[in-house]
Amino acid sequence: MTRLLRASALCLLVIVPAQRQAGAETLGQSLEESEILAVTPAPPAAPLRPAMYAAHYGPRGKGHSGAAALNRGCEKNSGFRFAAGIHDVTGAGFDQGMAGYADTAQTSEGLHNRQWARAFVIESSCGGVVRRIALISQDQGLMFHAVKQGLMDLVADDPELSGFYDYENVMVNVTHSHATAAGQAHHDLYNITAAGHDEQTYAALVAGTFMALKRAHQNLQTAPPGEILFNQGELLNTTIQRSMPAYLQNPESERQRFVDVNGEAVTINRNSVVLRLRRGETEVAMLNWFPIHGTSMAQTNKLLSGDNKGYAAWRYEQDHEVDYLSDDEPFVAGFFQADEGDNSPNVLIDQLSESELRDLQSEKFRTRGGGANDFESTLISGYKQYAKARDLAAAAETPLTGGVSHIAAFIDLTRVEIDEARVKRYPDTLQTAPFTTCEPALGVSFGGGAEDGRGPTEEGQTCAAMDQPDMARWQKLFEDGFAAGGRGSIPPQLVVPVGCNNPAFDALGYACHAEKPILFPLATSPFDPTQSLSARIDMLQIFTIGNLAVIGLPWEVTTTSARRIRDAVLDELEGAGIDYAVIAGLANNYSHYLTTREEYSVQQYEGASTLFGPWTQEAVQAELVGLARDLLEGRPASSANAVPAYRTHLTSFVHRPNTSDGMNPGAAFGSVVQEPEACYPARGEARVEAVFVAGNPRNDLRQQDSYLFIERETGKGKWKVRHTDNDWSTRYRFEPEQDDGTSHGRITWVIPPGTAPGTYRIRHAGGSAAGPYEGVSRSFAVGRCG
């Protein structure tokens, strides 16, 4: 099953300085900021033609209609109340399957940095009505209904929050880092490669998210009104279209709407959208939406990390000197995910052969993101997102105007009928009856993974071949299949026939999947017959913040799907003064991918991962238009496919992790096994290491705390913490059961540029089965050697 259940995968041509060796163990910290921003593909990307940018991303400009209930009485409002909160949600740093790549070999061995939930509460009181929304971003790989359900249960039990927040006005997104802990789902498909549901990791995520929301709520109580400034612009040379064969299936007339100033096609959404939340001279928060996969870290990485968006948020918050362990109201930077379904941060992947994409240890694969290794590539990608958001926020001058509103509905996505008039817009070859969505299933090409992380099969495997029985065609299929096997994958035609026109599948409601050969039917679970392997019901959600609409979807949405959805929702809402729209992907649940009908037909990884069949995007778009219409008229959601809010539950498939502290009962936890050297230079990414006898990280997740502290001497016997395990420059790795029978905690500090010379030490804190402990290394000098 290794790399088979891949939940998602994902260009940058980075000019690596000559003195940096590819694959070197660094954190990329000596890269100069100007050097990072100069990194470009060859040739560098060019901006969209101005008229085309304005046509799709610019304000609709039709103003407010008095006939619309939405924003009535709020047409000129630019005053909002808002607040932010942040809290640690880091999961188990040892023996925990990691989210995103679904590789059974990728289990956590420690932390690169902590993961956070960032909550933003926004309220308007214009038009005689007070309305409030909560936007929450989690540094996580996948969002699950079980997590939101757990959050809302805590909210319902809290007398302070229960009167203000519910399923409809709370939207929870994930950043889609592929380096975070998995195992938080109730639908067991997402627990398989995590060896089951992990209650410890789940509880940490739910409780931490609740605390972020509660802190934002409490900070709102005394907050005076402020303004929300809007800005947007293209972030170039940071992402690449990773599924070109599918993208090119979309009509040329549609693709020609997106051409750069040099006449080249623009195949991905590169728009970065920023909200700057400010009360007078006080900067409260920044929200950013930009589509990019969280796959700068490869599946060979085993340290928990926020990946590129985690770095971007951390870097932005460093500008505001955020103290993550303080209870005071901090500045919070939210880097939300958008329509990243077919784009990648690994900007060199189109230059790799199939065999190179599958060789995770090759130099070309390790440098696919443009840096000398994953850490550099993550820094480059994250820094570019941070820098663009910073510049857009600094230049933001346009206040959002209007009120706050929200609408949501749970939709049964297994039975949505598609209007025949919409079907007729497609070529005859794509008018595949029945014109309805299907029971959820993953296709054979899902097993191939995307270019960011391959699995054991190949992309592009369709049922079309089953309808062409001539010998020449079959011979070519077998030749192609075994050629693929030579590249390290299973010969595809050994599995495709089983998934096509299978009477057993068809009898269970899977006959409408058209070109998709079914690999995994998902409507029922072998672990619990009362609950499906993957969700059959999903929430669709729309928020408005002034004249901006935020469209919350539980999918990884491809570029063209998002273009169609944004236009359709804005067409409905523009008369009420809604000018802009962003897709908030991976919101409230996870249901894999959302491709267009055309993209689905060629069954690349993304199409094979479109669970509800070929008409899913049409169904979702129609449902969103209906929600927008209901919102416009001020009525509850009225879809014929809406169902009551549903509950999931824990199945018998649970993770039983390794919780051993080691085999030496006399171990002195916190004692030093390896001391740092006496002195280190202050430049050149010097690596300081210390090793301690350590307890299993599962004894204490150290939430809102740290496993390590880099301390500088400030006076005789006085020490000040300079870095923790949340910093980019540190790593903590747990090494179980070494030769002496103890387990070790290895702390690495890569000295950042600008570190003040002085005397330092490393302090380690953790927990063992016997309780908490601490240990301290000897002191060492930085920058005063020789």
Side-chain angles (χ1 to χ4, degrees):
M1 296 288 288
T2 300
R3 298 202 304 277
L4 182 55
L5 288 174
R6 173 146 169 30
S8 76
L10 309 169
C11 252
L12 273 170
L13 173 53
V14 174
I15 303 169
V16 181
Q19 70 271 20
R20 307 184 67 79
Q21 294 182 359
E25 276 291 317
T26 74
L27 291 179
Q29 290 172 165
S30 65
L31 289 170
E32 298 291 336
E33 293 184 356
S34 60
E35 184 180 8
I36 294 172
L37 295 177
V39 168
T40 61
L48 272 168
R49 291 176 178 173
M52 291 182 171
Y53 182 90
H56 189 68
Y57 299 111
R60 288 302 179 101
K62 292 195 174 181
H64 294 268
S65 167
L70 175 62
N71 275 333
R72 184 177 295 153
C74 294
E75 294 90 341
K76 297 182 180 180
N77 175 66
S78 61
F80 301 85
R81 293 180 67 233
F82 44 77
I86 187 171
H87 199 277
D88 189 355
V89 294
T90 309
F94 178 65
D95 193 30
Q96 179 56 54
M98 296 168 73
Y101 292 116
D103 185 339
T104 55
Q106 190 190 23
T107 57
S108 61
E109 295 180 353
L111 273 70
H112 177 216
N113 46 43
R114 289 195 168 263
Q115 288 84 67
W116 302 88
R118 295 172 170 90
F120 307 87
V121 176
I122 303 174
E123 179 184 277
S124 68
S125 56
C126 52
V129 180
V130 177
R131 294 189 179 94
R132 182 182 297 187
I133 59 171
L135 279 158
I136 302 175
S137 173
Q138 298 172 336
D139 289 332
Q140 291 292 298
L142 306 176
M143 175 61 196
F144 301 116
H145 177 75
V147 173
K148 186 167 183 181
Q149 176 179 282
L151 170 64
M152 300 318 300
D153 286 350
L154 291 179
V155 168
D157 290 341
D158 187 281
E160 190 177 356
L161 303 188
S162 56
F164 295 94
Y165 308 100
D166 55 31
Y167 276 95
E168 184 174 306
N169 74 342
V170 174
M171 182 187 297
V172 187
N173 302 81
V174 294
T175 59
H176 202 37
S177 164
H178 282 43
T180 59
Q184 305 100 328
H186 285 165
H187 292 292
D188 281 322
L189 173 67
Y190 310 104
N191 296 330
I192 290 176
T193 56
H197 177 92
D198 190 85
E199 187 59 29
Q200 185 180 34
T201 295
Y202 172 82
L205 177 58
V206 171
T209 304
F210 171 76
M211 285 304 302
L213 176 60
K214 186 158 188 171
R215 287 181 170 188
H217 173 84
Q218 291 170 338
N219 290 333
L220 186 71
Q221 303 316 299
T222 57
E227 60 182 354
I228 302 177
L229 301 178
F230 173 90
N231 203 1
Q232 61 179 344
E234 286 189 276
L235 172 53
L236 306 179
N237 303 313
T238 306
T239 49
I240 189 172
Q241 169 61 248
R242 74 172 194 197
S243 191
M244 194 65 76
Y247 178 82
L248 292 175
Q249 299 304 306
N250 296 306
E252 183 178 4
S253 58
E254 191 172 14
R255 290 183 276 118
Q256 285 299 314
R257 294 176 56 206
F258 299 88
V259 177
D260 69 23
V261 293
N262 296 327
E264 299 294 328
V266 175
T267 62
I268 50 176
N269 174 21
R270 306 176 306 194
N271 202 40
S272 180
V273 175
V274 159
L275 300 184
R276 180 182 179 187
L277 280 57
R278 185 174 69 181
R279 303 188 202 116
E281 297 301 314
T282 301
E283 300 289 339
V284 176
M286 187 283 304
L287 282 69
N288 172 262
W289 285 268
F290 179 73
I292 186 170
H293 258 88
T295 50
S296 294
M297 292 285 191
Q299 64 221 65
T300 50
N301 166 62
K302 296 185 179 182
L303 300 181
L304 301 183
S305 169
D307 209 280
N308 53 60
K309 282 192 181 290
Y311 177 85
W314 175 82
R315 181 64 180 81
Y316 206 112
E317 288 161 355
Q318 294 305 294
D319 286 351
H320 293 266
E321 299 181 343
V322 172
D323 181 354
Y324 294 90
L325 306 184
S326 170
D327 291 331
D328 295 336
E329 180 180 12
F331 175 90
V332 183
F335 281 79
F336 286 81
Q337 194 53 268
D339 42 312
E340 43 58 73
D342 51 359
N343 78 33
S344 171
N346 296 312
V347 294
L348 298 183
I349 53 176
D350 62 344
Q351 300 178 24
L352 273 65
S353 68
E354 184 63 28
S355 59
E356 288 168 338
L357 285 173
R358 292 177 177 276
D359 184 355
L360 305 184
Q361 302 302 325
S362 71
E363 179 178 330
K364 282 192 174 182
F365 185 83
R366 287 187 287 106
T367 60
R368 71 206 178 285
N373 52 44
D374 284 0
F375 291 103
E376 282 196 5
S377 295
T378 302
L379 183 148
I380 291 166
S381 177
Y383 184 85
K384 284 190 171 186
Q385 292 174 69
Y386 147 76
K388 185 66 177 182
R390 175 200 63 194
D391 294 347
L392 287 170
E397 297 179 346
T398 304
L400 291 180
T401 58
V404 166
S405 67
H406 52 82
I407 193 167
F410 285 99
I411 303 296
D412 182 346
L413 285 157
T414 66
R415 57 185 179 89
V416 180
E417 295 184 1
I418 311 304
D419 185 85
E420 190 174 343
R422 297 188 68 84
V423 172
K424 288 182 177 178
R425 300 183 314 165
Y426 292 88
D428 291 343
T429 54
L430 297 180
Q431 292 180 9
T432 310
F435 305 119
T436 179
T437 53
C438 317
E439 291 289 346
L442 289 162
V444 170
S445 295
F446 161 79
E451 288 74 1
D452 291 304
R454 287 298 195 203
T457 66
E458 285 282 303
E459 288 189 282
Q461 303 307 307
T462 75
C463 287
M466 301 302 101
D467 301 323
Q468 301 180 44
D470 63 276
M471 291 303 296
R473 174 68 173 165
W474 273 106
Q475 183 175 347
K476 184 175 189 308
L477 287 172
F478 278 108
E479 289 174 354
D480 289 349
F482 283 99
R487 294 193 292 269
S489 66
I490 296 170
Q493 298 309 319
L494 296 184
V495 289
V496 170
V498 179
C500 294
N501 307 315
N502 186 321
F505 288 162
D506 294 351
L508 296 173
Y510 298 101
C512 61
H513 279 270
E515 296 91 348
K516 180 197 291 178
I518 293 173
L519 182 65
F520 294 125
L522 304 174
T524 58
S525 170
F527 305 104
D528 184 344
T530 70
Q531 189 162 270
S532 54
L533 268 175
S534 181
R536 301 170 75 247
I537 296 166
D538 277 312
M539 173 182 275
L540 308 184
Q541 192 173 33
I542 301 175
F543 284 178
T544 66
I545 309 168
N547 48 329
L548 169 70
V550 181
I551 304 166
L553 299 175
W555 292 280
E556 303 188 49
V557 185
T558 64
T559 299
T560 303
S561 292
R563 288 169 175 173
R564 294 177 184 180
I565 287 170
R566 272 195 300 269
D567 282 346
V569 170
L570 284 173
D571 286 347
E572 200 64 40
L573 295 180
E574 63 182 354
I578 304 301
D579 286 312
Y580 310 100
V582 293
I583 302 293
L586 300 106
N588 302 314
N589 199 8
Y590 184 71
S591 281
H592 290 263
Y593 281 75
L594 191 65
T595 56
T596 67
R597 177 66 186 92
E598 296 91 338
E599 292 164 350
Y600 181 95
S601 69
V602 293
Q603 286 294 288
Q604 295 296 108
Y605 168 73
E606 295 80 8
S609 304
T610 298
L611 298 188
F612 300 103
W615 299 106
T616 308
Q617 188 267 320
E618 281 286 356
V620 170
Q621 183 171 318
E623 291 292 336
L624 286 168
V625 167
L627 277 180
R629 190 174 297 126
D630 291 336
L631 184 63
L632 191 70
E633 300 301 328
R635 60 180 180 238
S638 59
S639 170
N641 300 300
V643 296
Y646 74 106
R647 294 191 66 82
T648 55
H649 57 266
L650 182 63
T651 74
S652 60
F653 185 39
V654 296
H655 185 207
R656 293 175 173 81
N658 177 357
T659 58
S660 171
D661 288 327
M663 303 301 291
N664 185 344
F669 291 102
S671 61
V672 182
V673 176
Q674 176 186 317
E675 294 280 12
E677 296 179 12
C679 190
Y680 297 86
R683 299 188 190 182
E685 296 191 346
R687 293 165 55 88
V688 183
E689 282 199 340
V691 181
F692 298 81
V693 174
N696 192 306
R698 282 186 172 271
N699 290 311
D700 187 350
L701 299 186
R702 305 286 293 170
Q703 197 171 65
Q704 289 294 118
D705 212 324
S706 177
Y707 289 110
L708 65 90
F709 303 88
I710 309 299
E711 298 177 329
R712 183 173 183 267
E713 190 174 29
T714 57
K716 191 168 184 179
K718 296 181 179 179
W719 298 86
K720 183 176 182 180
V721 175
R722 305 303 302 176
H723 302 281
T724 69
D725 65 13
N726 186 52
D727 284 289
W728 180 259
S729 64
T730 61
R731 301 182 210 172
Y732 178 69
R733 189 179 299 273
F734 181 66
E735 301 173 343
E737 298 179 14
Q738 300 301 296
D739 292 342
D740 61 357
T742 67
S743 296
H744 295 172
R746 183 176 298 273
I747 294 172
T748 304
W749 177 40
V750 181
I751 300 174
T755 297
T759 300
Y760 290 78
R761 70 180 187 182
I762 296 176
R763 179 162 54 94
H764 167 47
S768 72
Y773 66 85
E774 280 198 0
V776 180
S777 77
R778 72 177 184 182
S779 61
F780 56 91
V782 171
R784 295 173 178 168
C785 302

